[in-house]
Amino acid sequence: MPVSALPFYRAIIDSMTDNLVVIDNQADIRFVNQSWGEFGRNNGAPRHVAQGAISALDACAPGTRLGDRYSRKADVGIRRPIRCDTETFSTEYPCDSQHEQRWLMLTGNPPTPSRTNCSNRSAPCTFR
């Protein structure tokens, strides 16, 4: 893909209403779309989280250490596509704000054929 095409592809990905996070094979977040950033900023996430400057596994770690089953399930699920153990992983988890109760969907997709990248997609429109 020519470098000159990157703004075009970025515009397409930023037009998605779902939050898109692309992680590498170490679970470090390498790319987030505009929806992810807006969701983070609107919900009080620290700037580095809203910008994707965090490991996906580090984001789960505090809850996992406290025994939170949703954090543990997300941690295990994020590891599966990284290791190419499954084609798709999906789980819902609570993500309440100060003003509403909501559930979000985390979907992990397997790496590309080169086995260097995985993508996680969180769909905040999945409120229940």
Side-chain angles (χ1 to χ4, degrees):
M1 165 176 45
V3 174
S4 62
L6 291 178
F8 173 73
Y9 290 112
R10 175 75 193 205
I12 292 170
I13 292 170
D14 281 341
S15 72
M16 296 172 60
T17 56
D18 287 347
N19 296 338
L20 177 70
V21 177
V22 177
I23 62 174
D24 64 16
N25 59 3
Q26 300 298 311
D28 291 330
I29 296 173
R30 296 296 179 198
F31 175 84
V32 299
N33 70 346
Q34 186 175 340
S35 290
W36 170 273
E38 288 176 9
F39 182 80
R41 284 187 299 277
N42 292 339
N43 288 280
R47 184 181 178 116
H48 72 284
V49 173
Q51 293 176 342
I54 187 172
S55 162
L57 296 174
D58 288 348
C60 299
T64 300
R65 281 193 297 270
L66 293 173
D68 179 73
R69 67 182 176 137
Y70 298 106
S71 296
R72 176 72 181 138
K73 195 171 181 181
D75 181 275
V76 169
I78 289 167
R79 291 175 192 276
R80 285 182 184 168
I82 291 171
R83 292 188 314 246
C84 309
D85 288 350
T86 186
E87 293 209 7
T88 300
F89 164 78
S90 185
T91 188
E92 286 184 300
Y93 62 96
C95 189
D96 298 343
S97 73
Q98 293 179 348
H99 308 292
E100 65 181 321
Q101 291 184 332
R102 59 187 173 205
W103 287 80
L104 304 184
M105 180 68 70
L106 168 67
T107 302
N109 297 307
T112 60
S114 67
R115 303 217 179 272
T116 57
N117 293 316
C118 291
S119 65
N120 283 330
R121 204 181 100 202
S122 173
C125 55
T126 309
F127 298 116
R128 298 195 176 127

